[in-house]
């Protein structure tokens, strides 16, 4: 770019602050920026805290994000622009530095219902004209019950929303006038995983669209029947793409509305709404990200037994179904929803270990790790969350194993030492006369009894 061209790009710029909306298609923030005559400067700001503190982030998710940004960078370059990548704990400061050099008219961003974003926005608003669009099906501000309060029961939340028959007007614009400025990117850590090492989760909106199309063509109508079986590839596996906004949730929903109706479609939309519900809860009850939603359990005597916790973490509990799920997590960064419930119940109800420890381990390993959904899932299973499973619902790992992996296909895939044993021993290796697997770390029936007594004492 010549000096003059660079100079002419310095005026009348709008920033597209990319957050979890890594896509050019069906992106309301980007489309709104396009309506203005300014050039659009695409900026991604890595959260410096997350780069330095790995408590709630992991290298697989980071690699997915990093390569996802490379994909979007390619698309931006194909349209003659350049993506600017910065790292900072303070977006306002970063944008102020840019505004010393460029005339920034507006900042367009896809907002989030988190305290962190609300604080960032308040600060940003003091200096800039910020236009926020939300990539959510449900708007927490307007979706309230008859008394004007937030819903706390999922079915009410979902049914009332469905009654509104919302259809989203989305524009299919995907060509933009991006800036191509001589700005240096900050030094960003190189991801640990190459694209090939990310396995089936290849980032980018093109991949997201392909996965969604395949799900719609081949799986959605049988979703209700297949979704719970550990050995069937019956769910969408879109979670990391939805998390990073590589596909628009509103576009997904609009597409579902146009499908022939079926129990499968209905059930899948309900699952999308569970995600919305947890985002909504996080908006109104942000403290529940770290504390039990149900106050009666706020002093619950969870254990912190590190030895048992480590055995759970690495799939060494002696319960094949639990161990197989944990191995799936460590090896792929993803776990089946049924598996997540089984292992979360095992940790919190059989071992009575603090759900926060499990939640953190999930965040350190899941490629789709997303705290509102993760905390929601953990508290639901532990029985202390909003609209949670009742405390006396304790998953029996043996029955779950037999029901959702009847031929032990999933177990045998992840636990090679059980590959050649009879199916009944794959579910319950302790029934064999020989020592074919590691011993159980707990007796489920005894643990269940103790747990019920303890929970009961908080309900008297
Ligand atoms: C203990 C526990 C922890 C969890 N942690 C996470 C997490 O960190 N991130 C995450 O995205 N999901 C989490 N879930 C929800 C669910 O397990 C995953 O969303 C799902 O397994 C992802 O696979 P999929 O894309 O094939 O889902 P599908 O069955 O195809 O569902 C479609 C989409 O709906 C959403 N969804 C589905 N089920 C749920 C649910 N129960 N709660 C919230 N959203 C849902 C996801 O965005 C998912 O991609 C957790 C569930 C439990 C029980």
């Amino acid at each position: 770019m010549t000096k003059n061209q660079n100079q002419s790009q310095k005026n009348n710029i709008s920033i597209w602050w990319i957050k979890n909306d890594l896509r050019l298609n069906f992106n309301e923030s980007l489309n709104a920026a396009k309506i203005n005559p300014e050039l659009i400067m695409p900026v991604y700001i890595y959260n410096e805290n997350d780069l330095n503190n790995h408590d709630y982030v992991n290298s697989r998710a980071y690699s997915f994000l990093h390569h996802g940004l490379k994909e979007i960078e390619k698309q931006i370059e194909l349209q003659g622009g350049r993506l600017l990548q910065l790292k900072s704990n303070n977006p306002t400061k970063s944008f102020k530095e840019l505004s010393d050099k460029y005339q920034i008219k507006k900042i367009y961003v896809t907002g989030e219902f988190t305290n962190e974003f609300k604080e960032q926005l308040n600060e940003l608003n003091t200096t800039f004209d910020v236009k926020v669009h939300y990539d959510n099906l449900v708007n927490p501000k307007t979706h309230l019950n008859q008394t004007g309060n937030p819903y706390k029961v999922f079915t009410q939340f979902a049914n009332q929303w469905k009654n509104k028959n919302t259809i989203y007007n989305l524009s299919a614009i995907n060509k933009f006038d991006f800036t191509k400025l001589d700005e240096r990117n900050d030094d960003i850590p190189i991801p640990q995983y190459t694209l090939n090492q990310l396995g089936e989760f290849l980032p980018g909106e093109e991949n997201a669209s392909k996965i969604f199309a395949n799900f719609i063509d081949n799986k959605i109508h049988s979703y209700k029947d297949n979704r719970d079986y550990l050995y069937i590839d019956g769910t969408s596996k879109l979670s990391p793409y939805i998390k990073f906004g590589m596909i628009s949730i509103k576009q997904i929903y609009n597409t579902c509305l146009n499908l022939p109706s079926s129990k499968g479609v209905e059930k899948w939309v309900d699952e999308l709404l569970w995600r919305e519900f947890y985002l909504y809860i996080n908006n109104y009850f942000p403290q529940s990200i770290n504390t039990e939603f149900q106050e009666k359990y706020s002093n619950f005597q969870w254990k912190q037994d590190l030895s048992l916790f480590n055995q759970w973490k690495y799939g060494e509990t002696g319960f094949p179904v639990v161990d197989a799920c944990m191995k799936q997590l460590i090896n792929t960064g993803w776990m089946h929803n049924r598996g997540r419930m089984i292992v979360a119940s095992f940790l919190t109800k059989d071992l009575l270990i603090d759900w926060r420890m499990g939640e953190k381990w999930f965040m350190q390993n899941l490629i789709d790790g997303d705290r509102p959904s993760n905390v929601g899932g953990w508290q639901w299973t532990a029985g202390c969350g909003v609209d949670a499973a009742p405390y006396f619902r304790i998953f029996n790992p043996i029955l779950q194993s037999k029901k959702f992996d009847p031929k032990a296909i999933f177990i045998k895939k992840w636990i090679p030492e059980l590959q050649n044993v009879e199916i009944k021993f794959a579910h319950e290796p302790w029934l064999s006369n020989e020592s074919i697997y590691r011993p159980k770390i707990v007796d489920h029936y005894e643990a269940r009894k103790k747990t019920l007594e303890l929970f009961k004492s908080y309900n008297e």
Side-chain angles (χ1 to χ4, degrees):
M1 175 172 299
T2 65
K3 226 175 172 183
N4 278 350
Q5 278 171 317
N6 209 22
Q7 183 58 40
S8 72
Q9 293 211 9
K10 287 193 170 186
N11 301 322
N12 291 329
I13 285 176
S14 278
I15 286 181
W16 169 34
W17 176 18
I18 306 175
K19 286 181 74 71
N20 286 320
D21 59 336
L22 267 67
R23 62 176 189 279
L24 298 190
N25 287 281
F26 301 109
N27 187 321
E28 289 174 276
S29 291
L30 194 46
N31 287 345
K34 160 108 182 170
I35 290 164
N36 283 289
E38 299 96 20
L39 289 171
I40 301 169
M41 183 197 288
V43 182
Y44 186 84
I45 305 179
Y46 283 88
N47 182 327
E48 218 164 359
N49 281 341
D50 288 348
L51 294 178
N52 298 325
N53 175 347
H54 298 166
D55 272 1
Y56 289 96
V57 289
N58 67 76
S59 41
R60 213 184 239 108
Y62 173 73
S63 305
F64 186 81
L65 162 68
H66 194 279
H67 294 300
L69 278 165
K70 284 259 166 278
E71 287 299 311
I72 207 160
E73 185 174 41
K74 266 191 235 157
Q75 298 307 317
I76 290 169
E77 283 172 6
L78 280 174
Q79 299 196 21
R82 238 200 93 217
L83 168 66
L84 180 59
Q85 299 186 50
L86 305 174
K87 61 178 177 187
S88 166
N89 286 330
N90 185 338
T92 303
K93 189 163 163 265
S94 304
F95 291 131
K96 275 186 183 162
E97 282 165 12
L98 284 173
S99 72
D100 289 342
K101 295 188 248 172
Y102 307 103
Q103 202 183 348
I104 294 169
K105 295 275 176 170
K106 292 190 182 75
I107 296 177
Y108 291 86
V109 61
T110 297
E112 290 165 1
F113 299 116
T114 59
N115 275 359
E116 188 191 11
F117 180 73
K118 286 175 196 168
E119 282 161 21
Q120 289 174 342
L121 187 60
N122 282 342
E123 210 187 320
L124 211 51
N125 272 329
T126 59
T127 315
F128 295 100
D129 182 2
V130 190
K131 302 286 176 206
V132 189
H133 293 79
Y134 288 90
D135 198 14
N136 292 78
L137 299 179
V138 179
N139 180 348
K141 287 179 199 146
T142 53
H143 191 58
L144 297 165
N145 67 17
Q146 281 177 340
T147 57
N149 290 309
Y151 291 100
K152 293 185 198 164
V153 176
F154 172 74
T155 42
Q156 292 167 5
F157 165 88
N159 290 342
Q160 289 304 323
W161 179 80
K162 285 181 200 166
N163 286 344
K164 293 180 187 166
N165 293 320
T166 313
I167 301 176
Y168 300 98
N169 277 324
L170 297 175
S171 152
I173 310 170
N174 59 10
K175 296 272 176 291
F176 304 93
D177 296 323
F178 291 117
T179 54
K180 188 176 186 182
L181 300 165
D182 292 336
E183 276 296 324
R184 268 173 60 88
N185 282 344
D186 284 343
D187 286 334
I188 310 295
I190 294 172
Q192 188 185 326
Y193 291 83
T194 62
L195 262 186
N196 286 342
Q197 289 166 336
L198 283 174
E200 65 184 300
F201 295 106
L202 291 176
E205 66 177 310
E206 203 182 323
N207 289 315
S209 297
K210 277 189 203 153
I211 294 170
F212 182 47
N214 179 40
F215 180 68
I216 292 295
D217 289 346
N218 301 309
K219 300 184 195 170
I220 197 166
H221 294 295
S222 48
Y223 177 75
K224 186 165 189 284
D225 297 330
N226 289 341
R227 64 186 285 267
D228 276 315
Y229 292 99
L230 292 164
Y231 66 98
I232 296 180
D233 186 14
T235 67
S236 70
K237 292 197 172 161
L238 275 171
S239 46
Y241 302 91
I242 292 175
K243 195 233 138 144
F244 288 106
M246 292 172 187
I247 189 161
S248 150
I249 199 79
K250 292 179 182 170
Q251 183 218 345
I252 286 181
Y253 179 70
N254 278 357
T255 308
C256 288
L257 279 185
N258 290 322
L259 293 174
S261 62
S262 72
K263 294 263 183 248
V265 177
E266 216 176 284
K267 188 73 195 161
W268 198 63
V269 169
D270 273 350
E271 295 310 310
L272 300 178
L273 286 172
W274 269 106
R275 174 174 173 273
E276 296 286 327
F277 182 56
Y278 288 137
L279 293 169
Y280 176 94
I281 291 297
N282 188 46
N283 176 68
Y284 284 113
F285 308 97
Q287 69 285 3
S288 66
I289 209 84
N290 293 313
T291 55
E292 289 78 3
F293 187 91
Q294 295 181 40
E295 274 175 28
K296 65 183 171 193
Y297 295 123
S298 59
N299 293 317
F300 193 85
Q301 286 161 19
W302 299 109
K303 291 186 189 158
Q304 317 279 329
D305 188 322
L306 286 185
S307 163
L308 289 176
F309 181 53
N310 279 331
Q311 285 169 297
W312 174 84
K313 270 164 69 172
Y314 298 107
E316 296 169 357
T317 68
F319 287 84
V321 73
V322 174
D323 295 350
C325 290
M326 297 309 287
K327 295 215 154 108
Q328 180 182 38
L329 173 63
I330 296 170
N331 285 291
T332 69
W334 186 85
M335 196 196 290
H336 194 283
N337 181 58
R338 173 62 44 184
R340 296 184 203 208
M341 293 192 288
I342 293 172
V343 304
S345 180
F346 188 82
L347 189 77
T348 55
K349 300 279 179 72
D350 284 54
L351 303 181
L352 271 174
I353 288 181
D354 197 327
W355 61 269
R356 277 162 284 250
M357 292 165 69
E359 195 264 326
K360 202 182 215 182
W361 181 247
F362 266 30
M363 287 306 294
Q364 290 169 351
N365 286 278
L366 281 173
I367 195 164
D368 63 20
D370 198 21
R371 293 210 66 205
S373 292
N374 198 33
V375 168
W378 273 94
Q379 289 206 30
W380 183 90
T381 319
C384 57
V386 58
D387 199 9
Y391 75 84
F392 44 82
R393 180 161 182 207
I394 297 180
F395 283 63
N396 179 326
I398 304 149
L399 296 184
Q400 292 284 318
S401 180
K402 290 179 181 169
K403 186 164 179 195
F404 297 112
D405 188 23
K407 294 191 177 149
I409 295 170
F410 176 77
I411 288 177
K412 291 185 177 202
K413 174 173 178 188
W414 292 107
I415 308 187
E417 56 267 51
L418 294 177
Q419 219 155 45
N420 298 319
V421 306
E422 280 181 57
I423 291 172
K424 64 178 178 186
F425 295 143
H427 293 300
E428 297 178 89
W430 50 86
L431 295 181
S432 166
N433 290 330
E434 290 162 51
S435 160
I436 55 171
Y437 192 54
R438 58 179 67 251
K440 293 183 278 183
I441 59 172
V442 70
D443 179 283
H444 170 70
Y445 298 98
E446 276 173 24
R448 181 175 191 279
K449 222 168 123 199
K450 280 193 199 147
T451 300
L452 284 177
E453 275 165 23
L454 184 60
F455 267 90
K456 207 167 161 215
S457 68
Y458 287 82
N459 283 279
E460 283 164 353

